[in-house]
Amino acid sequence: MDSIERLRARERELQAQLARLDADDAALRVDRSDATADDEHDPEGSTLSGEWQRVDALRASTRDELAQVATALSRVDAGTYGVCERCGRPIPEARLEVRPQATMCVACASLG
């Protein structure tokens, strides 16, 4: 599988993950609207608030990575995919295998 196929596969995975997290968020909202739920005093598990924060953080992270993948796919369309944004040299294939949405070569990425 080449880097572009990995990008497209990752995009599908992230979209599915975001759909699951959206469903989890909706379920938590329903649970939270239940006036009889006293999860703050339940010693047996995480609170609804804690779970909602966890799901919200995962959703934000997933959306961020999905945006990175979309940017990389735009670079494919523009013919600039696999070229370092900073120095203009090719991004090594090994880096793109691990992080197909990479926009910089290892040397430039390490500069911060």
Side-chain angles (χ1 to χ4, degrees):
M1 177 183 298
D2 73 3
S3 298
I4 296 168
E5 290 170 349
R6 276 191 290 282
L7 270 174
R8 291 193 174 109
R10 185 64 181 150
E11 180 181 45
R12 288 187 299 273
E13 290 169 5
L14 290 167
Q15 288 170 339
Q17 181 177 342
L18 190 56
R20 286 189 303 272
L21 290 167
D22 286 345
D24 289 348
D25 180 70
L28 287 167
R29 287 180 188 275
V30 168
D31 290 346
R32 195 174 172 113
S33 68
D34 180 5
T36 62
D38 184 16
D39 71 325
E40 299 299 327
H41 297 97
D42 179 5
E44 295 301 316
S46 64
T47 65
L48 286 175
S49 296
E51 187 63 15
W52 198 0
Q53 288 174 342
R54 183 189 73 79
V55 168
D56 192 50
L58 288 171
R59 287 172 69 210
S61 175
T62 302
R63 282 192 300 266
D64 183 53
E65 187 177 350
L66 196 51
Q68 291 174 26
V69 169
T71 298
L73 288 169
S74 294
R75 291 175 53 117
V76 168
D77 293 339
T80 59
Y81 179 74
V83 177
C84 179
E85 287 182 336
R86 185 175 277 170
C87 71
R89 291 186 301 234
I91 299 171
E93 186 61 33
R95 176 163 171 73
L96 292 173
E97 283 179 26
V98 174
R99 187 168 164 72
Q101 68 269 33
T103 59
M104 288 188 270
C105 65
V106 176
C108 289
S110 68
L111 296 174

